[in-house]
Amino acid sequence: MGPLNVVGGHVALDLVNTVEPRVPGGTVGTDHLGTPDDLARWAVRGALLDDEEAERVRRAWTDGDGGARAHAATLEIREATYAVLLTQLGAADGANAALDVLVGHWRRAMGRSTLSFASTDDRLRVGTDPELVVPDRLAHAAVALLRTLDVRQLKACPLDEGGCGWLFLDRSRNGSRRWCSMGDCGTRAKSRRLTERRRGARSGVPQSS
Ligand SMILES: [Zn+2]
């Protein structure tokens, strides 16, 4: 599996985008968070954990089923966040049930949370039980995103045009960003349109563009 691109513009969106393609109604695509190990690696790469915290998390996860619990909680938060965000994009179903799941995780995370200065700099970081610090921080992040989201900026890479369905914040001034990243889906869609046009030209069938 190649490296996972990070395009969302917010860690909660990058969490949603760990399934590829991202299709409403279930995780049918490649899941980049298939195991607790995948999750630990992703959390470090996305700066959700610093190296020292990652070490503590790994230690906590080697005992019993800590890793499995954190992994399961993370996937619940991910799918609930996705379902709630879809309603912001106009989908009608499932928002309340998903919101209940997310709020449940967020409240439990709050109950365990502390605030302290990080060892690497002077920034405050949310700490919790090392076993659950990853899902807890993600629950905080997801709620923070939903509370402050400018829905006009929220977009999905267009599945019906060959995109991947990933969610991202379009922060361009004129709101013109269409693809998760022009280097991936945008370029693929463009070359596909070109091929279709050439094929059409050869067969003499006029193509609409
Ligand atoms: Zn895409």
Side-chain angles (χ1 to χ4, degrees):
M1 207 183 299
L4 178 65
N5 272 342
V6 172
V7 300
H10 191 284
V11 67
L13 294 176
D14 293 330
L15 172 67
V16 166
N17 295 343
T18 54
V19 178
E20 189 179 8
R22 217 1 159 162
V23 182
T27 52
V28 294
T30 301
D31 191 338
H32 291 269
L33 300 183
T35 66
D37 274 349
D38 293 339
L39 176 59
R41 272 194 297 273
W42 176 84
V44 171
R45 218 169 37 226
L48 196 67
L49 300 174
D50 63 31
D51 290 341
E52 204 175 296
E53 291 168 334
E55 198 42 52
R56 270 201 298 275
V57 166
R58 285 207 181 87
R59 272 201 302 274
W61 287 6
T62 49
D63 291 338
D65 53 1
R69 264 201 300 275
H71 182 248
T74 299
L75 298 196
E76 278 184 26
I77 292 163
R78 179 181 74 182
E79 297 314 305
T81 304
Y82 180 50
V84 175
L85 285 167
L86 281 179
T87 66
Q88 305 292 296
L89 286 168
D93 297 337
N96 288 335
L99 207 51
D100 284 348
V101 171
L102 184 59
V103 168
H105 281 287
W106 177 64
R107 290 177 64 126
R108 287 190 293 278
M110 290 282 275
R112 288 188 284 267
S113 293
T114 58
L115 266 181
S116 57
F117 292 102
S119 58
T120 45
D121 52 36
D122 286 337
R123 288 174 53 196
L124 281 165
R125 301 208 82 172
V126 172
T128 70
D129 181 344
E131 181 184 301
L132 293 167
V133 65
V134 172
D136 285 359
R137 278 190 186 153
L138 290 168
H140 281 295
V143 170
L145 171 71
L146 290 166
R147 282 179 48 230
T148 57
L149 181 69
D150 177 350
V151 288
R152 288 166 305 182
Q153 289 187 346
L154 181 67
K155 293 188 177 172
C157 187
L159 282 164
D160 53 355
E161 294 170 60
C164 65
W166 280 4
L167 304 185
F168 58 89
L169 295 176
D170 178 1
R171 294 202 176 100
S172 67
R173 200 177 298 171
N174 55 0
S176 60
R177 186 172 155 195
R178 294 186 58 221
W179 306 96
C180 64
S181 95
M182 201 56 209
D184 290 323
C185 292
T187 306
R188 269 203 301 277
K190 206 168 150 191
S191 66
R192 201 168 37 245
R193 275 199 305 275
L194 259 176
T195 313
E196 279 163 16
R197 215 169 298 153
R198 286 202 194 106
R199 205 176 288 145
R202 271 202 303 276
S203 62
V205 180
Q207 297 278 303
S208 59
S209 58

